[in-house]
Amino acid sequence: MLLRVAPGGAANEGRFMLQAFRDHKRWLMFIAMVLIIPSFVVTGIYSYNRMTQADNSIAKVGDVSISPEAFDMAKRQQLEQLRQTMGENFRANMLDNPEAGEAILKGLMDESAVSQTVAKNFVQVSEEQAIMLIKGASALQQDGKFSPELYENFLRSQGKSDQQFVAEVRRDLAKETVLSGVTATYPVPKALVQDYFRILTEERRVRAFIVNATDYVEDIKVTDDEAKAYYDAHQKDFLLPEHVKAEYVVLSPADFKAEAPNPDDLKTYYEQNQSRWMVPEERRASHILIEFGDDKAAALKKAEEILAAVKADPASFADEAKKNSADTGSAAEGGDLSFFGRGLMVKPFEDAVFAAKKGDIVGPVETEFGYHIIYVTDIHEARGKTFDEVKPEIEAEYAEQTAIRQFGEHADEFTNLVYEQSDSLGPVAEKFGLKIETIDNVTRTGVTDPELGRIITEHVAEALFGSECLEEKRNSNAIEVSANTLVAARVVEYKPETVRPFEDVKSRIVDAIKLERASAMAKADGEKKLAEVKASKKLDGFSEPVWVSRQQMQGQPAAFVDLEVSVPTEQLPAFVGMQVEGGAYLIGYVEEAKLKEATDAELAGLAREVASIYGESDRRGYLEALKGVLGSEILNRSVIEGTKTAP
């Protein structure tokens, strides 16, 4: 089943191009930059001594085995994501339970099923779309524009080449195309979408009065005795957790330099893999969509009239698209859909485009969305990239693979050396030319710095607090913190859990007491003011009126906007008040209400968002069906049911 998306009449971004890319662009960026990219760490090209054996597998999907190492890597990845999102609330043992283990393995099996489906059915996303996604990622932009320097730094941090990373993004987007094609088809009742739209867009014309807690702070005095009493009563809030100062070394392929490759070998590799560098045919087309509406015959007649007009005068096509096309996303561009390859459009549309010649105007072509008049404006013929074009890529791959191979050849030596000469990291650092780094404030859960957290993982922290490192002052074992990256560490100094000295936290305590008292004073005065304006109806000191909704909050706190919008229209005008985060007390005068009329385009867009939420059950059913077709089974539950990660 080769999934295709349909050209049609959605608003803004349009339904024509790859829906999973257009309709969920920001969401896909989030996946690419937060979920997909870290996952690349666990799929190294070459694992130094971890060849997967069938009898070591914990599960199988089709003919593909899932190893304990893959499970362990996936668990580490999820822990790292939790560490970054939860901050101080993170605990290294959060996934040490059977339920979490089951979920991790299920995710790996789902991923395997989707990957196999993508491969078997040749689902592809073009290189151009992957590049567009990367360039649009906010993490790689500076001053609103794509930054090659940030991108280069990112690639270096991941140990990836540009070509490899683009290929990986293409693969992940192809997988997402399969899944989004399922969830986007969930039938959402129109009444439900209309209710959601009303809840999000219903407006209130409001004026606000603020009683700021900060206005009271200067007049509040806190004595040393009061601060000390607070300190004594809240000792647990000022605990400095036990921590160590540690030394560590890192071994990775970056520590090995490859020799210049033999030109003949590069040429041979190119010739044996020419299909890899084939650029498929792409066509550029514009279209005008006429929706069926309530009268399909009338729609066909209109489409035929427009077809005759643009055939007579092709230069008028863009103007006709702007005036008549129901696909408002492309209509704004004169109907232009840019370049696309096979497999991205519904079949009737694709067949018409690829059967035409450059400059042909064809139609009306019927799809589920209506009638299309199509103008084929350009063609990029299929071609293979020349050796000179791909030579830098091959050389980069050669250097990368050579470094990884050398790393694999020396990984055991590194592992043995840190164990055999366990009283110092000096010998292993000297042997491999490594720098011994020092880090302080490593707790049992690791470090707070996300970048260092990639090296001093929870597994490294666990080793540092083990008896061999902490009591016997030995090196840790060589620990794999990511694909093809080994870390060895040792404790330099240990500091037990202590309560921070009063003088170190006194200023924090004073500020906390002041804010607590100021908040209480602001609330008291705010409630008094609310009662006064309810009685007098005077609006002295209130802001100018603005229209707010749950979608357009105009800088007001979400909870306060919700309170304002929740006032029944029959009770307007009305005063409302509440204390918000930070201690301020807000009073709102809600003057009138207004309902926004929804356009078809807005309802269609919201329907897709709701479908993606409610379609989760369809997604799960689809994944289970894929695994059923391929055949899947769990072979060893001991790994996922235990309280420790896989060896």
Side-chain angles (χ1 to χ4, degrees):
M1 179 185 67
L2 180 58
L3 293 183
R4 295 178 173 88
V5 286
N12 301 324
E13 298 297 337
R15 287 184 294 190
F16 186 81
M17 294 303 288
L18 185 63
Q19 282 188 342
F21 183 78
R22 271 195 171 180
D23 296 344
H24 303 290
K25 195 171 185 180
R26 282 183 293 178
W27 182 62
L28 281 178
M29 274 182 208
F30 173 77
I31 290 178
M33 302 314 298
V34 179
L35 302 180
I36 294 177
I37 290 170
S39 74
F40 294 161
V41 174
V42 310
T43 58
I45 297 173
Y46 180 90
S47 184
Y48 64 95
N49 62 357
R50 298 242 174 141
M51 303 302 291
T52 302
Q53 302 297 327
D55 58 3
N56 193 36
S57 301
I58 58 175
K60 283 190 72 175
V61 178
D63 296 327
V64 178
S65 298
I66 296 173
S67 68
E69 291 80 15
F71 176 87
D72 197 35
M73 279 291 195
K75 181 176 179 180
R76 293 181 194 180
Q77 175 194 337
Q78 290 195 21
L79 282 169
E80 180 60 27
Q81 291 169 6
L82 289 171
R83 180 198 300 279
Q84 294 185 29
T85 56
M86 299 183 68
E88 294 182 358
N89 296 320
F90 172 79
R91 298 292 180 270
N93 64 350
M94 297 181 81
L95 300 182
D96 288 342
N97 57 78
E99 293 78 14
E102 188 87 28
I104 293 169
L105 181 58
K106 190 177 184 68
L108 288 170
M109 295 174 73
D110 290 345
E111 170 78 8
S112 179
V114 174
S115 296
Q116 292 179 60
T117 301
V118 166
K120 289 181 179 179
N121 294 285
F122 307 102
V123 180
Q124 293 185 350
V125 171
S126 72
E127 184 176 86
E128 286 75 12
Q129 287 174 313
I131 292 172
M132 190 187 308
L133 178 69
I134 294 169
K135 287 187 173 181
S138 58
L140 299 177
Q141 291 187 344
Q142 194 167 34
D143 299 326
K145 295 181 179 180
F146 174 73
S147 169
E149 183 178 354
L150 287 177
Y151 184 48
E152 284 293 330
N153 292 339
F154 168 76
L155 290 176
R156 265 196 303 273
S157 72
Q158 299 296 317
K160 304 288 181 183
S161 68
D162 172 55
Q163 293 83 1
Q164 183 184 356
F165 180 59
V166 170
E168 288 171 333
V169 171
R170 289 180 67 186
R171 285 198 297 271
D172 280 281
L173 287 179
K175 296 172 194 173
E176 188 52 41
T177 299
V178 171
L179 294 178
S180 63
V182 175
T183 57
T185 61
Y186 186 88
V188 181
K190 186 175 181 180
L192 177 63
V193 176
Q194 290 172 330
D195 283 344
Y196 276 138
F197 184 83
R198 179 187 58 76
I199 290 169
L200 289 172
T201 63
E202 185 176 2
E203 295 180 292
R204 294 289 190 272
R205 190 170 187 261
V206 301
R207 302 178 67 175
F209 185 93
I210 305 175
V211 182
N212 284 309
T214 53
D215 293 342
Y216 298 85
V217 169
E218 282 190 16
D219 297 329
I220 297 173
K221 306 299 180 186
V222 179
T223 67
D224 288 349
D225 288 342
E226 288 171 330
K228 186 64 165 63
Y230 185 97
Y231 174 79
D232 292 338
H234 298 83
Q235 293 272 300
K236 67 180 186 303
D237 294 338
F238 307 111
L239 285 175
L240 187 64
E242 63 174 334
H243 59 280
V244 299
K245 183 177 182 180
E247 293 178 341
Y248 66 93
V249 291
V250 181
L251 185 73
S252 73
D255 297 305
F256 299 91
K257 303 300 180 184
E259 297 179 0
N262 185 314
D264 292 337
D265 291 342
L266 297 181
K267 188 73 173 179
T268 300
Y269 182 78
Y270 167 77
E271 291 170 351
Q272 292 175 347
N273 295 274
Q274 284 195 32
S275 60
R276 176 180 166 188
W277 290 288
M278 284 296 298
V279 179
E281 179 185 4
E282 289 188 319
R283 297 197 168 203
R284 185 170 193 165
S286 299
H287 83 132
I288 300 170
L289 171 66
I290 307 300
E291 291 183 317
F292 298 135
D294 297 327
D295 190 339
K296 189 173 180 180
L300 177 58
K301 182 180 179 182
K302 180 179 179 180
E304 289 172 338
E305 291 172 350
I306 295 173
L307 174 63
V310 295
K311 275 193 169 184
D313 182 13
S316 68
F317 193 97
D319 289 337
E320 292 290 346
K322 291 175 182 177
K323 289 188 293 184
N324 295 292
S325 182
D327 181 5
T328 56
S330 65
E333 303 298 325
D336 182 37
L337 300 165
S338 192
F339 283 96
F340 55 87
R342 292 183 181 275
L344 295 180
M345 308 301 170
V346 288
K347 193 173 190 307
F349 193 97
E350 178 184 292
D351 289 347
V353 170
F354 282 87
K357 299 187 296 294
K358 180 178 178 179
D360 283 354
I361 298 177
V362 298
V365 175
E366 181 179 347
T367 72
E368 60 187 285
F369 294 99
Y371 292 107
H372 305 261
I373 298 99
I374 305 170
Y375 186 9
V376 179
T377 56
D378 204 354
I379 297 175
H380 285 168
E381 300 289 350
R383 70 177 185 88
K385 291 184 179 180
T386 66
F387 174 70
D388 288 338
E389 286 179 301
V390 300
K391 183 180 177 183
E393 180 181 345
I394 298 175
E395 288 176 333
E397 287 187 12
Y398 175 87
E400 180 181 28
Q401 294 291 344
T402 301
I404 291 173
R405 185 175 67 252
Q406 290 179 343
F407 168 83
E409 291 169 354
H410 292 89
D412 285 341
E413 186 179 1
F414 176 90
T415 300
N416 294 335
L417 194 54
V418 296
Y419 176 77
E420 292 167 357
Q421 300 192 38
S422 60
D423 58 346
S424 172
L425 293 174
V428 74
E430 182 179 354
K431 172 69 176 178
F432 293 100
L434 307 176
K435 181 180 178 182
I436 299 177
E437 304 283 357
T438 302
I439 184 171
D440 204 351
N441 296 316
V442 181
T443 67
R444 287 185 181 271
T445 58
V447 294
T448 56
D449 186 324
E451 284 301 313
L452 283 173
R454 299 178 185 275
I455 301 299
I456 309 300
T457 65
E458 74 280 356
H459 296 285
V460 175
E462 182 181 6
L464 287 171
F465 281 87
S467 60
E468 287 190 357
C469 290
L470 202 59
E471 297 172 11
E472 301 176 25
K473 304 301 181 185
R474 295 182 179 277
N475 297 336
S476 72
N477 291 330
I479 298 170
E480 184 184 23
V481 297
S482 62
N484 306 319
T485 303
L486 293 174
V487 171
R490 63 181 293 104
V491 173
V492 175
E493 184 180 1
Y494 169 77
K495 295 182 181 179
E497 180 180 76
T498 57
V499 178
R500 296 178 188 271
F502 172 67
E503 290 301 324
D504 288 355
V505 296
K506 180 181 176 181
S507 62
R508 278 176 50 195
I509 293 172
V510 170
D511 289 343
I513 294 174
K514 284 185 175 183
L515 181 59
E516 183 180 299
R517 293 178 183 175
S519 297
M521 295 167 70
K523 182 179 180 183
D525 285 352
E527 290 175 342
K528 180 180 178 182
K529 177 70 175 180
L530 177 61
E532 289 175 358
V533 295
K534 280 184 175 180
S536 68
K537 311 299 182 187
K538 293 182 179 180
L539 298 175
D540 297 339
F542 278 72
S543 67
E544 290 299 313
V546 293
W547 287 96
V548 300
S549 70
R550 292 181 176 92
Q551 206 171 44
Q552 300 291 333
M553 294 182 285
Q554 306 293 353
Q556 295 186 0
F560 188 61
V561 171
D562 191 57
L563 178 64
E564 293 171 317
V565 178
S566 298
V567 179
T569 54
E570 62 270 16
Q571 296 180 14
L572 300 181
F575 289 94
V576 295
M578 70 179 297
Q579 189 163 38
V580 296
E581 187 176 354
Y585 193 90
L586 302 186
I587 300 172
Y589 176 57
V590 188
E591 296 179 324
E592 57 180 307
K594 181 170 65 176
L595 290 176
K596 182 181 178 182
E597 190 70 27
T599 66
D600 290 342
E602 288 172 325
L603 290 177
L606 184 57
R608 288 194 297 275
E609 291 185 32
V610 175
S612 69
I613 298 171
Y614 282 87
E616 178 61 20
S617 60
D618 285 352
R619 175 181 174 277
R620 288 264 27 113
Y622 178 63
L623 288 170
E624 293 304 317
L626 285 184
K627 290 185 288 187
V629 170
L630 293 167
S632 66
E633 60 179 325
I634 297 176
L635 305 173
N636 182 359
R637 286 188 170 274
S638 63
V639 173
I640 63 174
E641 292 179 351
T643 57
K644 294 184 178 181
T645 58

